[in-house]
């Protein structure tokens, strides 16, 4: 399969860049990320190492395959809503999270080498202010 830059494609095809972005609220974006994690074929995902000790520029550019952030970026709906990469900084911007909030979701110091996708999904739902449906779902959310 051949790959072309956008400028190259414009010379051989009619390319329209007027695609309207999918509008999603912060809560909808966080809920969608949680859904993606719950559907992830990988029950355990990689964490990012020592995010709090890196210089800000390095921290914002930090990324890795197989992380909770890369699961979100793989989702076409989140990309259509404006998620531009799977970097730490992009997750802060796109999901409207503080550095501390994202650190608590993806950093090695909280979980070790791997984190359960379900654990991150539960934390995202709490951040979004979602109340789980059903008695047993509420018990799981309460006891984590």
């Amino acid at each position: 399969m051949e790959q072309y830059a956008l400028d190259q494609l414009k010379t051989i095809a009619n390319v329209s860049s007027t695609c309207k972005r999918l509008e999603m609220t912060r809560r909808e974006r966080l809920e969608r990320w949680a859904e993606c994690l719950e559907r992830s074929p990988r029950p355990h995902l990689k964490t990012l190492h020592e995010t709090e000790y890196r210089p800000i520029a390095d921290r914002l550019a930090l990324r890795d395959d197989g992380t909770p952030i890369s699961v979100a970026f793989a989702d076409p709906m989140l990309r259509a809503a404006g998620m531009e990469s799977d970097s730490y900084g992009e997750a802060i911007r796109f999901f409207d999270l503080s550095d501390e909030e994202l650190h608590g979701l993806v950093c090695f110091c909280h979980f070790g080498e791997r984190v359960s996708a379900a654990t991150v999904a539960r934390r995202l739902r709490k951040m979004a202010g979602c109340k789980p449906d059903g008695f047993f779902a509420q018990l799981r959310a309460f006891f984590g």
Side-chain angles (χ1 to χ4, degrees):
M1 178 184 195
E2 294 183 43
Q3 296 182 9
Y4 296 97
L6 184 58
D7 293 338
Q8 292 173 317
L9 277 177
K10 288 180 179 179
T11 64
I12 57 175
N14 186 11
V15 178
S16 172
S17 60
T18 60
C19 181
K20 188 176 177 184
R21 277 208 168 151
L22 178 63
E23 296 294 324
M24 295 176 84
T25 65
R26 177 183 189 265
R27 181 177 180 165
E28 290 169 337
R29 291 189 306 265
L30 291 173
E31 287 176 359
R32 180 67 183 186
W33 188 6
E35 290 169 11
C36 292
L37 289 166
E38 290 166 345
R39 288 192 319 263
S40 174
R42 293 179 165 174
H44 292 90
L45 302 166
K46 291 181 190 176
T47 56
L48 297 174
H49 285 264
E50 300 179 337
T51 62
E52 69 273 30
Y53 299 117
R54 295 178 185 261
I56 189 71
D58 293 348
R59 184 181 327 146
L60 296 177
L62 189 61
R63 65 153 310 278
D64 198 358
D65 294 330
T67 65
I69 301 170
S70 67
V71 170
F73 185 61
D75 182 58
M77 277 185 67
L78 292 175
R79 286 198 316 273
M83 190 172 186
E84 297 174 359
S85 74
D86 61 353
S87 71
Y88 188 90
E90 177 60 10
I92 287 173
R93 182 200 68 81
F94 179 73
F95 292 106
D96 193 21
L97 297 171
S98 70
D99 191 3
E100 291 176 23
E101 287 174 319
L102 186 58
H103 172 263
L105 292 170
V106 300
C107 190
F108 169 86
C109 70
H110 290 279
F111 306 106
E113 291 287 329
R114 301 226 174 247
V115 61
S116 161
T119 297
V120 178
R122 274 194 304 274
R123 289 181 176 212
L124 285 167
R125 289 193 189 284
K126 284 181 184 177
M127 286 178 179
C130 303
K131 293 193 176 180
D133 296 333
F135 176 72
F136 290 110
Q138 289 179 10
L139 282 176
R140 274 194 305 276
F142 180 77
F143 292 107

